[in-house]
Amino acid sequence: MSAKLSLRIAAVLILLHAFGHTFGTLGWKKAPNAQVGNVINDMQNIHFQFMGRQVSFANFYEGYGISMIFVLLLVAALLWHFSYSIQAKPIAFLTIFLLLLAFTEYVYFFSFAAAFSLLAGVCAGLSLLQKSKKATP
């Protein structure tokens, strides 16, 4: 597998992650049971003053979810962009970012989301190995 293909696989994995995250973000208010419904209700209806605004934890939760969609789309675009011209430093940074993201998703969210980031990070890292193999005679 070429370095270019590895980065494109990583980009597609992150794009799929972004689509899944979009559906999760748009549907987070649908409660699977009454207890969760009570928590969601409290998140939406209990407001407090923060930096001159009245906000709720639902505002933060939804805002972070939407922000993460943009971050995932940016990472997918960068991975695809760098597949045209394999540059070690930016790809190394993206690899580290994806592996840290995978760890965070595993610890704080769930393993299915973490698997996409982990596999994308591994693919990005493999592209660096493939490039270095190609560069050595």
Side-chain angles (χ1 to χ4, degrees):
M1 179 171 17
S2 69
K4 181 178 188 171
L5 182 59
S6 292
L7 285 173
R8 290 193 173 182
I9 289 170
V12 169
L13 285 167
I14 294 302
L15 190 61
L16 290 172
H17 192 349
F19 287 138
H21 199 277
T22 300
F23 290 117
T25 299
L26 296 177
W28 77 270
K29 295 176 187 172
K30 296 176 187 148
N33 60 49
Q35 276 185 309
V36 173
N38 290 336
V39 171
I40 291 170
N41 190 45
D42 285 347
M43 286 177 69
Q44 292 175 309
N45 294 320
I46 297 173
H47 289 77
F48 54 94
Q49 193 74 9
F50 183 77
M51 298 186 82
R53 290 183 55 191
Q54 281 290 101
V55 296
S56 69
F57 277 107
N59 296 132
F60 291 136
Y61 190 79
E62 195 160 17
Y64 286 133
I66 292 168
S67 297
M68 193 62 197
I69 293 166
F70 293 127
V71 169
L72 291 169
L73 291 173
L74 174 65
V75 170
L78 287 172
L79 288 164
W80 195 273
H81 172 74
F82 288 121
S83 75
Y84 289 106
S85 172
I86 312 298
Q87 299 173 17
K89 284 184 182 177
I91 295 169
F93 284 121
L94 284 171
T95 300
I96 292 166
F97 171 79
L98 289 167
L99 296 175
L100 290 172
L101 180 63
F103 175 77
T104 303
E105 289 170 334
Y106 181 76
V107 170
Y108 292 101
F109 297 101
F110 51 96
S111 56
F112 187 68
F116 279 93
S117 298
L118 177 65
L119 290 173
V122 168
C123 286
L126 283 174
S127 75
L128 292 173
L129 291 175
Q130 292 155 342
K131 180 181 172 28
S132 68
K133 275 187 194 177
K134 201 174 191 179
T136 57

